[in-house]
Amino acid sequence: MAISVCFSPLTSTPKHYSRIPLYKPINPITTLTTPKILNPNFKKVNCVPENSQNLSVIQEKPRWKNWVSIAESLYPVYVTVGGVVACLKPSTFSWFVKCAPTSYSLGLWFIMLAMGLTLEIKELTNLLLQKPLSILFGCAAQYTIMPTLGLILSKILGLPPSISVGLILLACCPGGTASNVVTLIAQGDVPLSIVMTACTTIGAVVLIPLLTMILAGTYVPVDAVKLSISTLQVVVAPILLGSYLQHKFPKAVKKITPFAPLLAVLAISLVSASVFSENVGRLRSSVVGMSFSSDLPLLSRAQNVLASEFGLVAVSVALLHFAGFFVGYLSAALAGFSEPQRRAVSIEVGMQNCTLGVVLATSHFSSPGVALPAATSVIIMNIMGSCLGFFWKCINPTQPKSSLEVTDKS
């Protein structure tokens, strides 16, 4: 049997498949054109997510900068340790005290130079030209809030006449360089703090004698020429020099700037401990006759300390500075100031030039009790101020609710 297979051609219409190119040729003649902007005041809006993980936006600080920041935040520890050492062994700082007042002036000069390296001259000039009312308000708050609080506390606590005069004298003193350092740590308005310090120091020539005469019933003469020259030398000149160096040598200053706050903190701690050690004798004389027997319970010993002259001085000084910080911040908030300005005003009002207070008290009063508030304030004020600065450092003063960034392209 034979099998035959017959192959016949296909009669159906063949299917055609479209060919997909592997690449799309680019037309060299066609160019992308940007649309014309009819409004010349067009603003470019960049929206950044609030919790963005974009590494180009959020950059982690180098480890050494974190260590410097931690060392800077230990300001309260430095002042406390310095005060304890000065109280137990005053001779530790004798090398610095022997050169006083030159050593104190150089220390304050170095502090303000470190502050000046972090500022630009245009920031200070812009503040003077654009916000004169802020400066005027801060100076008025300095010379109204603190003297009033000093008088009220001396009446409420029933302080002896000498300590009462010393507390009012301390309250009438202008702001010092320590307030500028604490404002820098607290992320406050540093230019405002510096200008307030300079203006209140110059105003102290007239206001310290006037206020002490009105509130304390005694006249404290102040050498106007000497105080003005000292202000220019210790406050204004190093600030301008630091700003000039930043403008003239930006690359070199940029390498030093991260260490400027830490150097200022160490310097102000040294000056404070030295001033305190110089007045330890007065403080010890105020606690003579107190009973520190180990047989007494801790509460009884604490009551003995508070009931002594030293205890009254310490409590009154602490209350004065605490009230100054609080009322200063509250007044700036009621006046509508921004958060950095509130912090600057609060710190400037609450912190005084204790060294000036000690000098005036020892120069113009025969009673050693008048110098006790200013001498005690050297340590208490710096501990309270540095703790407040560290607290505010952990809180962003701006706290933006959205991360909408607007860039002007006009």
Side-chain angles (χ1 to χ4, degrees):
M1 182 176 62
I3 299 174
S4 62
V5 179
C6 179
F7 295 93
S8 60
L10 295 173
T11 57
S12 61
T13 305
K15 296 181 179 180
H16 297 279
Y17 298 93
S18 60
R19 302 174 64 183
I20 302 175
L22 298 178
Y23 69 94
K24 185 178 181 179
I26 301 175
N27 188 0
I29 300 176
T30 305
T31 57
L32 298 175
T33 58
T34 57
K36 294 182 179 180
I37 302 173
L38 299 179
N39 186 4
N41 296 325
F42 174 78
K43 293 183 179 180
K44 181 182 177 182
V45 180
N46 299 324
C47 295
V48 182
E50 190 169 358
N51 296 323
S52 175
Q53 300 297 328
N54 191 354
L55 295 178
S56 63
V57 176
I58 302 175
Q59 295 181 353
E60 186 179 358
K61 281 185 178 182
R63 182 173 296 179
W64 65 270
K65 283 190 176 182
N66 292 330
W67 284 110
V68 171
S69 180
I70 293 174
E72 170 193 326
S73 64
L74 295 177
Y75 182 19
V77 178
Y78 303 147
V79 177
T80 304
V81 172
V84 171
V85 173
C87 189
L88 298 178
K89 194 175 181 181
S91 59
T92 304
F93 301 96
S94 59
W95 61 274
F96 198 76
V97 174
K98 286 179 181 178
C99 301
T102 304
S103 58
Y104 295 159
S105 299
L106 290 177
L108 298 176
W109 193 91
F110 176 78
I111 294 166
M112 299 312 294
L113 176 64
M115 298 289 298
L117 293 175
T118 64
L119 296 174
E120 296 182 3
I121 297 179
K122 63 180 182 180
E123 293 180 347
L124 298 175
T125 55
N126 290 340
L127 178 65
L128 291 171
L129 296 176
Q130 298 176 4
K131 299 179 180 179
L133 294 179
S134 301
I135 302 172
L136 182 61
F137 176 87
C139 295
Q142 175 77 48
Y143 282 115
T144 54
I145 294 175
M146 291 301 283
T148 304
L149 290 174
L151 178 63
I152 293 174
L153 287 174
S154 64
K155 297 296 184 183
I156 293 177
L157 298 177
L159 300 178
S162 60
I163 297 179
S164 179
V165 172
L167 186 68
I168 293 175
L169 177 62
L170 172 65
C172 294
C173 287
T177 53
S179 62
N180 307 138
V181 178
V182 174
T183 302
L184 178 64
I185 297 174
Q187 304 182 66
D189 193 334
V190 179
L192 177 60
S193 175
I194 292 174
V195 173
M196 282 181 60
T197 298
C199 293
T200 54
T201 304
I202 295 174
V205 174
V206 177
L207 293 175
I208 288 181
L210 180 63
L211 290 173
T212 51
M213 171 69 78
I214 295 173
L215 301 178
T218 183
Y219 182 76
V220 181
V222 178
D223 191 339
V225 176
K226 186 176 180 180
L227 185 59
S228 300
I229 294 175
S230 176
T231 301
L232 292 175
Q233 291 177 343
V234 176
V235 178
V236 179
I239 288 290
L240 295 179
L241 177 60
S243 300
Y244 173 77
L245 292 175
Q246 185 195 58
H247 175 73
K248 197 70 176 177
F249 309 101
K251 293 183 179 179
V253 172
K254 189 176 181 181
K255 297 179 180 179
I256 305 174
T257 302
F259 302 95
L262 177 60
L263 295 175
V265 162
L266 295 176
I268 197 65
S269 301
L270 174 62
V271 173
S272 300
S274 300
V275 173
F276 184 71
S277 67
E278 194 176 7
N279 295 274
V280 164
R282 297 188 182 94
L283 297 175
R284 285 179 176 175
S285 63
S286 65
V287 297
V288 172
M290 290 173 51
S291 177
F292 292 100
S293 174
S294 58
D295 298 334
L296 293 175
L298 181 62
L299 182 59
S300 299
R301 281 182 283 177
Q303 289 177 347
N304 289 338
V305 173
L306 293 177
S308 66
E309 188 178 35
F310 173 76
L312 285 175
V313 171
V315 170
S316 60
V317 167
L319 290 176
L320 176 67
H321 292 299
F322 177 81
F325 290 133
F326 178 76
V327 179
Y329 183 88
L330 183 62
S331 63
L334 294 176
F337 284 19
S338 63
E339 179 63 23
Q341 290 178 333
R342 296 176 192 177
R343 297 182 182 185
V345 172
S346 172
I347 294 170
E348 193 69 23
V349 170
M351 300 185 72
Q352 273 60 51
N353 189 343
C354 303
T355 305
L356 177 62
V358 172
V359 171
L360 293 176
T362 54
S363 302
H364 304 290
F365 294 94
S366 58
S367 175
V370 178
L372 286 179
T376 309
S377 176
V378 171
I379 296 299
I380 294 179
M381 180 197 70
N382 281 284
I383 293 176
M384 295 178 66
S386 57
C387 290
L388 180 61
F390 176 71
F391 171 76
W392 269 332
K393 182 182 180 181
C394 302
I395 302 175
N396 189 354
T398 56
Q399 292 182 347
K401 294 182 180 179
S402 62
S403 301
L404 189 65
E405 180 185 352
V406 179
T407 307
D408 288 335
K409 292 297 182 180
S410 56

